Short mmCIF file of all heavy atoms in Angstrom, two decimals:
data_model
loop_
_atom_site.label_atom_id
_atom_site.label_comp_id
_atom_site.label_asym_id
_atom_site.label_seq_id
_atom_site.Cartn_x
_atom_site.Cartn_y
_atom_site.Cartn_z
N ILE A 27 -7.34 -10.88 -3.12
CA ILE A 27 -8.26 -10.56 -2.04
C ILE A 27 -7.62 -10.79 -0.70
O ILE A 27 -7.80 -9.96 0.18
CB ILE A 27 -9.56 -11.43 -2.19
CG1 ILE A 27 -10.36 -11.05 -3.42
CG2 ILE A 27 -10.33 -11.41 -0.92
CD1 ILE A 27 -11.53 -11.99 -3.72
N GLU A 38 -5.53 -1.17 10.18
CA GLU A 38 -6.27 -1.13 11.45
C GLU A 38 -5.27 -1.19 12.63
O GLU A 38 -5.50 -0.56 13.73
CB GLU A 38 -7.19 -2.34 11.61
CG GLU A 38 -8.41 -2.21 10.64
CD GLU A 38 -9.33 -3.43 10.67
OE1 GLU A 38 -8.77 -4.62 10.87
OE2 GLU A 38 -10.50 -3.45 10.40
N GLN A 42 -3.37 4.61 14.79
CA GLN A 42 -2.80 5.83 15.52
C GLN A 42 -1.69 6.46 14.82
O GLN A 42 -1.47 7.72 14.87
CB GLN A 42 -2.62 5.40 16.89
CG GLN A 42 -2.38 6.59 17.82
CD GLN A 42 -3.60 7.45 17.93
OE1 GLN A 42 -4.70 6.95 18.17
NE2 GLN A 42 -3.40 8.75 17.81
N VAL A 66 -12.95 6.22 4.51
CA VAL A 66 -13.05 6.14 3.08
C VAL A 66 -12.23 4.92 2.56
O VAL A 66 -12.68 4.21 1.59
CB VAL A 66 -12.67 7.41 2.43
CG1 VAL A 66 -12.72 7.31 0.85
CG2 VAL A 66 -13.59 8.56 2.81
N ILE A 122 -3.66 5.76 -1.23
CA ILE A 122 -3.85 4.35 -1.01
C ILE A 122 -5.06 3.78 -1.81
O ILE A 122 -5.02 2.62 -2.30
CB ILE A 122 -4.11 4.07 0.55
CG1 ILE A 122 -3.69 2.61 0.86
CG2 ILE A 122 -5.50 4.31 0.94
CD1 ILE A 122 -2.18 2.37 0.93
N GLY A 169 10.70 14.78 -4.79
CA GLY A 169 9.89 16.01 -5.05
C GLY A 169 9.63 16.08 -6.59
O GLY A 169 9.50 15.05 -7.36
N ILE A 195 0.88 18.82 -17.59
CA ILE A 195 2.28 18.22 -17.80
C ILE A 195 2.24 16.71 -17.79
O ILE A 195 2.94 16.11 -18.64
CB ILE A 195 3.17 18.73 -16.56
CG1 ILE A 195 3.42 20.27 -16.66
CG2 ILE A 195 4.51 17.98 -16.65
CD1 ILE A 195 4.14 20.83 -15.47
N VAL A 196 1.41 16.17 -16.91
CA VAL A 196 1.21 14.69 -16.92
C VAL A 196 0.66 14.19 -18.18
O VAL A 196 1.15 13.26 -18.84
CB VAL A 196 0.37 14.30 -15.78
CG1 VAL A 196 0.03 12.81 -15.72
CG2 VAL A 196 1.06 14.62 -14.37
N GLN A 266 -22.37 32.63 12.07
CA GLN A 266 -22.90 31.91 13.27
C GLN A 266 -22.34 30.47 13.21
O GLN A 266 -21.95 29.85 14.19
CB GLN A 266 -24.41 31.92 13.35
CG GLN A 266 -25.02 33.26 13.67
CD GLN A 266 -26.51 33.27 13.67
OE1 GLN A 266 -27.09 32.19 13.69
NE2 GLN A 266 -27.15 34.39 13.65
N ASP A 277 -8.40 29.95 16.14
CA ASP A 277 -7.01 29.55 16.08
C ASP A 277 -6.66 28.56 17.23
O ASP A 277 -5.68 27.82 17.19
CB ASP A 277 -6.09 30.78 16.15
CG ASP A 277 -6.20 31.59 17.44
OD1 ASP A 277 -7.40 31.87 17.71
OD2 ASP A 277 -5.26 31.95 18.14
N VAL A 286 -0.96 23.85 4.44
CA VAL A 286 0.10 22.77 4.33
C VAL A 286 1.55 23.23 4.39
O VAL A 286 2.37 22.57 4.97
CB VAL A 286 -0.17 21.87 3.09
CG1 VAL A 286 0.17 22.64 1.81
CG2 VAL A 286 0.65 20.59 3.07
N ASN A 287 1.78 24.47 3.82
CA ASN A 287 3.18 24.93 3.80
C ASN A 287 3.16 26.46 3.62
O ASN A 287 2.14 27.10 3.25
CB ASN A 287 4.02 24.23 2.76
CG ASN A 287 3.53 24.45 1.30
OD1 ASN A 287 2.60 25.29 1.08
ND2 ASN A 287 4.12 23.77 0.31
N PRO A 288 4.33 27.12 3.84
CA PRO A 288 4.46 28.59 3.70
C PRO A 288 3.99 29.15 2.25
O PRO A 288 3.46 30.15 2.07
CB PRO A 288 5.85 28.84 3.93
CG PRO A 288 6.35 27.78 4.86
CD PRO A 288 5.61 26.49 4.32
N SER A 328 -10.49 39.13 -10.03
CA SER A 328 -9.69 39.51 -8.88
C SER A 328 -8.73 38.22 -8.55
O SER A 328 -8.94 37.14 -9.05
CB SER A 328 -10.55 39.82 -7.70
OG SER A 328 -11.31 38.66 -7.25
N GLN A 356 -20.02 30.44 -16.25
CA GLN A 356 -19.38 30.23 -17.54
C GLN A 356 -18.16 31.12 -17.75
O GLN A 356 -17.47 30.88 -18.76
CB GLN A 356 -20.42 30.40 -18.63
CG GLN A 356 -21.51 29.28 -18.67
CD GLN A 356 -22.45 29.44 -19.69
OE1 GLN A 356 -22.52 30.45 -20.45
NE2 GLN A 356 -23.29 28.38 -19.91
N HIS A 414 -13.62 5.24 -8.02
CA HIS A 414 -14.45 4.94 -6.82
C HIS A 414 -15.30 3.64 -7.18
O HIS A 414 -15.93 3.49 -8.12
CB HIS A 414 -15.36 6.02 -6.44
CG HIS A 414 -14.69 7.15 -5.75
ND1 HIS A 414 -15.43 8.31 -5.18
CD2 HIS A 414 -13.41 7.38 -5.50
CE1 HIS A 414 -14.53 9.02 -4.70
NE2 HIS A 414 -13.29 8.59 -4.85
N THR A 433 -16.63 -25.13 -34.78
CA THR A 433 -16.19 -25.64 -36.08
C THR A 433 -17.10 -26.70 -36.60
O THR A 433 -16.86 -27.28 -37.67
CB THR A 433 -14.79 -26.23 -35.92
OG1 THR A 433 -14.81 -27.24 -34.93
CG2 THR A 433 -13.73 -25.13 -35.56
N ASN A 449 -26.70 -9.48 -54.05
CA ASN A 449 -28.11 -9.31 -53.97
C ASN A 449 -28.70 -9.98 -52.70
O ASN A 449 -29.60 -9.47 -52.07
CB ASN A 449 -28.78 -9.83 -55.21
CG ASN A 449 -28.52 -8.99 -56.42
OD1 ASN A 449 -28.29 -7.76 -56.31
ND2 ASN A 449 -28.41 -9.59 -57.66
#
Side-chain angles (χ1 to χ4, degrees):
I27 291 172
E38 287 175 335
Q42 194 59 49
V66 176
I122 206 78
I195 294 171
V196 172
Q266 288 176 18
D277 61 313
V286 69
N287 63 7
S328 66
Q356 293 183 348
H414 285 184
T433 58
N449 290 329

